[in-house]
Amino acid sequence: MSTSVLKQQVNPLPAGLDVVKVLGSVLEQVVSRNDKLPTNPENMTIFHAFKPPAIAVQPYLERILKYVNCSHESYVFALVYMDRIIQRNPDFFICSLNIHRVLITSVMIAAKFYDDVYYNNSFYARVGGVSVKELNNLEVEFLFMINFSLYISAEEYERYRLELTSHSVQLSSSSSKQQAPASTIGNPH
């Protein structure tokens, strides 16, 4: 199924900033939980920084939203790709040392795959605060880590979209405490 067919079949997400707020909330929970886990230096990747960047996940996502202007669906695609990298690499987990690089790389790849119009790597690098050379290397590594598995079925997309929508409802009601698994949304399979 081509992405154009998927574009016709998917239900809409909450508008731009809402998607970013929900995704940011989910990722901040994941990072918070995973930062408590012991870090094995042997499992460090090119995505890992020496120390966490000064910018938090939410403002970083809002920066991406402001400048990249990719579709809301690309954020769902990015989330699926982040889950794939975790599922296919059992020693890899998202934490404060790698979330920013994983995030800009996954959004860039998602926009390139799903959106009709996207920017070149140097633009994404400027937005993400990394060099073009580094982002090029991150992109290649990310693609190998997910085995170049970019296709997302309409059913899989819908599962992730519904999970984000569910988190959106939880965020807006603020009456119940959210539970995020150690991956991102969790393995919906």
Side-chain angles (χ1 to χ4, degrees), residues 142-161:
F142 194 102
L143 289 168
F144 273 103
M145 289 177 81
I146 64 170
N147 197 28
F148 293 83
S149 178
L150 297 176
Y151 172 75
I152 298 171
S153 70
E155 296 79 19
E156 183 176 22
Y157 174 89
E158 188 64 11
R159 282 194 304 267
Y160 279 84
R161 187 194 67 78

Side-chain angles (χ1 to χ4, degrees), residues 6-164:
L6 179 61
K7 286 178 184 178
Q8 296 169 0
Q9 293 180 351
V10 297
N11 293 318
L13 285 165
L17 187 58
D18 291 339
V19 171
V20 166
K21 284 183 178 180
V22 173
L23 183 57
S25 173
V26 169
L27 293 174
E28 285 173 347
Q29 290 176 42
V30 171
V31 166
S32 176
R33 285 182 178 192
N34 288 346
D35 276 351
K36 295 173 185 165
L37 299 172
T39 304
N40 183 347
E42 293 177 11
N43 295 333
M44 299 297 246
T45 67
I46 65 169
F47 292 98
H48 287 81
F50 293 113
K51 64 179 185 172
I55 187 170
V57 173
Q58 191 66 50
Y60 190 71
L61 260 171
E62 289 172 10
R63 176 179 170 78
I64 293 170
L65 174 71
K66 178 179 179 180
Y67 293 106
V68 171
N69 199 29
C70 63
S71 68
H72 310 315
E73 292 82 5
S74 288
Y75 290 100
V76 178
F77 272 58
L79 178 62
V80 173
Y81 296 158
M82 285 186 271
D83 258 358
R84 286 182 181 172
I85 205 170
I86 294 162
Q87 292 166 9
R88 292 172 185 207
N89 302 275
D91 293 330
F92 184 88
F93 57 90
I94 292 182
C95 64
S96 60
L97 297 177
N98 63 25
I99 183 60
H100 297 80
R101 288 183 176 106
V102 169
L103 196 50
I104 191 64
T105 307
S106 63
V107 169
M108 179 185 74
I109 290 171
K112 285 181 172 184
F113 186 75
Y114 183 78
D115 291 343
D116 294 330
V117 178
Y118 55 87
Y119 297 101
N120 60 29
N121 285 19
S122 64
F123 182 82
Y124 290 102
R126 278 195 311 274
V127 171
V130 296
S131 72
V132 178
K133 182 179 179 181
E134 182 178 12
L135 187 58
N136 290 341
N137 291 334
L138 291 169
E139 179 180 27
V140 169
E141 182 67 15
F142 194 102
L143 289 168
F144 273 103
M145 289 177 81
I146 64 170
N147 197 28
F148 293 83
S149 178
L150 297 176
Y151 172 75
I152 298 171
S153 70
E155 296 79 19
E156 183 176 22
Y157 174 89
E158 188 64 11
R159 282 194 304 267
Y160 279 84
R161 187 194 67 78
L162 288 173
E163 282 291 330
L164 278 177

